[in-house]
Amino acid sequence: MEDIESLIGSQAFHSDPYPIYDRLRVETPVYRSDSLNGWLLTRYDDVALGLRDFRKFVVSGRIQRFLSELAPDLVDRAQPLVKHFSKAITHLDPPEHTHIRRPAGEDFTPELFEPWRPRVQKLCDDLLDSLVHRGEMDLIADFAFPLPAIVLGEVLGIPSEDRDRYKKWSDDIGVRLFGTGHATEANMEEARKSVLELYDYLRTLVDDRRREPRDDLLSHFARYTQPGDNGEAAWSEQELFSTCVTLVLAGHGTTTNLIGNGLVALLDHPEQLAQLRDDPSIAADGIEEILRYDNPLHRMWRRAIVDVEIGGQRIREGDIVLPALGAANRDPEVFEHPHQLDFCRDSNKHVSFGVGVHLCLGAPLARLQGQVVLPTLLRRLPGIRLATCELDWDSNLLHRGLKSLPVKW
């Protein structure tokens, strides 16, 4: 039987990691991987523990731990990244995390995003109007990337025509930097340049919102740096910009992958595709099942702050732990027939948005887009089907998504 370590990071792993997750879950559910530079957790309960218990596993200090592989002079050059991530909500633990999340969380509720549903529907239809006559397209490049970027632009208040720029920034800072599990000079340098460019870009927009506030999140967030009734501001300037940068990084790429992965899952399960096409009212449950079946973010990072034993393995203080969300979502101890897409699943406790205090802030917006977009694609593009025999999956070790997805209808 082929060695597990040689499989992790292989093209077979990127194309279909689930057989390897199944094998790990049975043979060595807490697995020390040199290629991933950490402990890979594949059982549902272990993944939930790694995500939830911030007394043992933290997100803070990850950037310093990650960059420690570089030469000292390169670590010095990377200080703009350290400065950003030291105040980024995804790299903070309570109480610092709570301090930033409490104000931001007020703007990220399902109730506040629900009025956006008609606008997302219109944006989706407008984009399809320009594509439907073709009879074919690359779903990722032509639709699944631009649509979430346009939605993000309107919600945050950043020009959607700049979407190619913030895709590059997002890829450099949020994907490629951590995507191999190891720091490299080239990836660090690209991320460093991109974070400086993105800060300059957002600083201009925030200054504009302070002069002329609008009904967008940038305007809301800018107000958090103003003194409140107690004379203190909710956020510092660094916290404001770190939060804005984090939302730009996380706000569209995962939704692109949700749309691409979701359509592939539906095409692989024609009965479920027909259900969603014929009855869009099941979209809410359908999207939850799609998120469980092939979620856009497959692994997260944590840092152990105490020695801890899981699954018979001793994880040392300072070790990196990688809860595998994709593996947890197909744990047969939790999900019956886990490799089947089933919109009638009785219980769906997937962990695609994380659990605990770091539950994804943007989950309501991602869910809303998925509920609108996938039924609309099935309705507007009758007979939609793959136009390729081999899917081109990205090789990133944290995210799961397609580089391209040629389809016809």
Side-chain angles (χ1 to χ4, degrees):
M1 186 177 291
E2 194 168 357
D3 176 64
I4 285 284
E5 190 65 21
S6 67
L7 291 171
I8 291 176
S10 68
Q11 189 53 51
F13 182 67
H14 298 309
S15 298
D16 185 7
Y18 297 106
I20 300 170
Y21 287 154
D22 287 345
R23 183 177 160 190
L24 281 167
R25 205 182 298 109
V26 171
E27 295 180 10
T28 175
V30 181
Y31 175 73
R32 179 65 176 87
S33 169
D34 291 333
S35 58
L36 294 178
N37 196 26
W39 293 91
L40 188 64
L41 311 181
T42 52
R43 291 186 301 202
Y44 184 97
D45 289 345
D46 294 339
V47 168
L49 173 70
L51 295 176
R52 182 180 286 119
D53 193 347
F54 56 84
R55 294 166 300 179
K56 297 175 182 175
F57 306 103
V58 299
V59 296
S60 57
R62 289 183 299 170
I63 185 66
Q64 291 89 345
R65 170 69 171 76
F66 182 74
L67 294 174
S68 65
E69 296 184 352
L70 297 173
D73 62 314
L74 295 178
V75 175
D76 289 341
R77 283 187 60 76
Q79 286 312 296
L81 292 168
V82 175
K83 183 178 180 181
H84 161 64
F85 284 111
S86 68
K87 293 298 181 181
I89 190 171
T90 52
H91 284 243
L92 291 175
D93 300 292
E96 292 83 5
H97 174 271
T98 310
H99 163 72
I100 293 179
R101 180 156 184 142
R102 184 176 291 120
E106 296 175 1
D107 293 306
F108 281 86
T109 67
E111 294 76 19
L112 288 178
F113 278 117
E114 185 58 31
W116 278 89
R117 188 177 295 271
R119 181 57 181 164
V120 173
Q121 182 68 66
K122 185 176 189 310
L123 291 171
C124 179
D125 283 324
D126 287 349
L127 185 53
L128 285 176
D129 286 344
S130 69
L131 298 168
V132 69
H133 68 281
R134 294 188 190 177
E136 62 181 2
M137 66 170 162
D138 177 351
L139 186 85
I140 302 300
D142 296 330
F143 181 83
F145 160 61
L147 180 64
I150 293 168
V151 172
L152 176 72
E154 293 203 1
V155 170
L156 281 180
I158 57 180
S160 61
E161 59 266 26
D162 290 336
R163 58 181 176 266
D164 288 334
R165 298 176 67 191
Y166 52 80
K167 182 182 190 304
K168 181 185 185 304
W169 292 328
S170 300
D171 287 346
D172 288 345
I173 306 166
V175 179
R176 293 193 186 99
L177 179 65
F178 300 108
T180 66
H182 295 271
T184 68
E185 179 179 356
N187 285 351
M188 180 281 292
E189 187 60 31
E190 287 300 310
R192 186 190 71 85
K193 290 190 293 187
S194 286
V195 81
L196 291 173
E197 290 176 9
L198 182 48
Y199 266 73
D200 286 343
Y201 175 82
L202 288 171
R203 191 171 289 110
T204 299
L205 294 177
V206 169
D207 288 345
D208 178 67
R209 294 308 188 277
R210 283 173 170 155
R211 290 191 298 269
E212 297 182 22
R214 305 179 191 177
D215 186 19
D216 57 38
L217 286 181
L218 282 183
S219 298
H220 289 199
F221 290 169
R223 288 198 291 269
Y224 296 154
T225 60
Q226 304 303 312
D229 294 338
N230 62 357
E232 297 182 359
W235 288 351
S236 68
E237 287 288 305
Q238 181 61 51
E239 289 167 344
L240 166 66
F241 285 106
S242 287
T243 302
C244 291
V245 168
T246 299
L247 293 174
V248 171
L249 300 186
H252 60 90
T254 49
T255 307
T256 294
N257 292 344
L258 169 59
I259 295 169
N261 297 5
L263 182 63
V264 170
L266 290 167
L267 293 173
D268 284 342
H269 296 79
E271 290 185 2
Q272 307 303 304
L273 184 153
Q275 282 187 36
L276 185 58
R277 181 195 61 216
D278 297 340
D279 184 8
S281 68
I282 69 169
D285 288 340
I287 290 302
E288 296 308 306
E289 175 64 355
I290 286 169
L291 283 162
R292 181 202 68 81
Y293 181 80
D294 201 11
N295 55 309
L297 182 62
H298 258 220
R299 287 161 288 279
M300 288 187 174
W301 277 47
R302 294 293 187 267
R303 180 173 59 90
I305 55 173
V306 295
D307 289 357
V308 59
E309 184 173 311
I310 305 178
Q313 298 289 347
R314 191 70 173 175
I315 297 173
R316 301 293 182 183
E317 178 185 353
D319 285 355
I320 295 299
V321 175
L322 301 160
L325 311 183
N329 282 342
R330 295 206 190 183
D331 188 338
E333 293 295 318
V334 178
F335 302 100
E336 188 176 2
H337 306 301
H339 298 303
Q340 294 180 11
L341 187 73
D342 182 4
F343 291 164
C344 297
R345 193 172 294 278
D346 291 334
S347 177
N348 197 343
K349 303 183 295 181
H350 69 74
V351 293
S352 298
F353 291 120
V355 294
V357 299
H358 282 283
L359 185 71
C360 176
L361 196 62
L365 183 58
R367 284 186 163 108
L368 188 153
Q369 291 181 79
Q371 292 166 14
V372 169
V373 167
L374 286 172
T376 302
L377 284 173
L378 302 181
R379 173 175 55 83
R380 295 285 311 271
L381 308 178
I384 189 170
R385 60 196 183 278
L386 295 179
T388 180
C389 296
E390 190 164 335
L391 297 177
D392 188 12
W393 292 95
D394 197 351
S395 59
N396 189 275
L397 290 172
L398 297 179
H399 297 259
R400 175 160 169 79
L402 290 151
K403 295 179 183 178
S404 64
L405 183 59
V407 295
K408 297 180 178 180
W409 55 90

